[in-house]
Amino acid sequence: MEKPQNFTEFWDFYVAEHSAPQTRILHFIGSMLGILILALLLGKGLWYLFPLCLVPSYGLAWYSHFFIEHNRPATFKYPVWSFIGDWKMVWLMLTGKMTGEVQRVTEQNKSGTIQPDFAAR
């Protein structure tokens, strides 16, 4: 499949790459730890250490891709869309809608509607 032209096209690929519940949970935990660390750093006036908030976020996410999903993180090829996708996924998890998204994309994959090869591994 060709490169996604917009986030809407990318989103279904992103969801397919996060089909294992453990992957989504590790992404969620990493994102929440990242926000907590960022808040603590800002609260202490150490804003210049903000890259530290990325360590748990990306560390847990990448671990989940390499050892649970066995795929390459989309961040490597689509960093901005992947970042947006992470936060959309966190929001959908908080609102109880992410499982429905996974089911929708899984059904589309079965019918051949989605080609999960955007990452061109």
Side-chain angles (χ1 to χ4, degrees), residues 33-56:
L33 286 173
I35 289 293
L36 178 64
I37 291 168
L38 180 61
L40 291 171
L41 291 172
L42 292 175
K44 293 189 177 280
L46 302 172
W47 58 268
Y48 52 88
L49 294 176
F50 82 90
L52 293 176
C53 72
L54 301 175
V55 173

Side-chain angles (χ1 to χ4, degrees), residues 13 16-17 65 70-74 76-77 116-121:
F13 161 74
E17 295 288 291
H65 283 287
H70 303 289
N71 59 26
R72 185 173 172 222
F76 295 166
K77 192 157 186 177
D117 58 357
F118 280 141
R121 297 179 229 293

Side-chain angles (χ1 to χ4, degrees), residues 52-104:
L52 293 176
C53 72
L54 301 175
V55 173
S57 300
Y58 285 102
L60 289 173
W62 292 353
Y63 175 87
S64 70
H65 283 287
F66 293 128
F67 298 106
I68 296 170
E69 293 282 356
H70 303 289
N71 59 26
R72 185 173 172 222
T75 303
F76 295 166
K77 192 157 186 177
Y78 303 104
V80 174
W81 284 348
S82 180
F83 181 81
I84 294 167
D86 286 345
W87 290 105
K88 179 175 181 175
M89 181 171 66
V90 164
W91 175 251
L92 291 175
M93 289 174 77
L94 286 171
T95 59
K97 297 178 182 176
M98 190 61 200
T99 301
E101 278 293 281
V102 173
Q103 291 170 344
R104 178 186 64 78

